[in-house]
Amino acid sequence: MNALGRHILAEIYGCDENVLDDCELIEDIMVKAAIEAGAEVREVAFHKFSPQGVSGVVVISESHITIHTWPELGYAAVDVFTCGDNVNPWNACNYLTKMLKAKNMTATEVKRGVFEQPVKVVNL
């Protein structure tokens, strides 16, 4: 495989529901998470839902960081996709877990890129 990037899919739960529902705070935390990872922030876009929840993306030179929150469940779904060797996506995930005041975080890292052999995809 010609690895082009690292993509972390994180389930962050047991979070502070007030943090998860504060759009401005989530945006600030996400931008700082990108910086913690060593990324260069390009653009941000966030949306506050009614009655609750926030979704947003931080576009970085190295790819993106996204979040979708469910305050009523104390849960955030986070993707951190980075390219290159100078950014550590785990630093962003760990920072987010801390700042969301989460009790738990489970995550999977997927290597992204071009495979030398065809990959069989299973669709359940």
Side-chain angles (χ1 to χ4, degrees):
M1 174 183 187
N2 180 14
L4 300 174
R6 301 166 67 189
H7 196 162
I8 296 176
L9 307 172
E11 313 299 328
I12 305 176
Y13 48 102
C15 301
D16 182 318
E17 66 182 63
N18 294 313
V19 173
L20 292 181
D21 204 34
D22 186 328
C23 191
E24 289 180 15
L25 181 57
I26 290 291
E27 180 176 332
D28 182 61
I29 290 169
M30 291 286 287
V31 168
K32 287 179 179 169
I35 293 166
E36 283 286 319
E40 181 181 9
V41 175
R42 291 295 183 170
E43 295 184 44
V44 298
F46 285 81
H47 178 78
K48 171 74 171 82
F49 290 96
S50 180
Q52 58 196 359
V54 174
S55 288
V57 60
V58 176
V59 178
I60 57 178
S61 294
E62 301 81 6
S63 197
H64 68 267
I65 303 174
T66 63
I67 191 167
H68 306 281
T69 73
W70 284 260
E72 71 277 19
L73 300 176
Y75 169 75
V78 172
D79 287 11
V80 181
F81 183 17
T82 64
C83 301
D85 298 324
N86 298 324
V87 179
N88 185 340
W90 287 105
N91 289 349
C93 286
N94 291 331
Y95 180 81
L96 288 168
T97 300
K98 176 183 169 187
M99 298 308 294
L100 298 177
K101 301 179 183 174
K103 293 181 175 77
N104 299 292
M105 185 261 286
T106 59
T108 302
E109 181 174 336
V110 177
K111 303 290 188 221
R112 304 296 300 268
V114 179
F115 291 86
E116 294 175 8
Q117 299 292 324
V119 176
K120 181 177 181 180
V121 177
V122 177
N123 187 358
L124 302 176

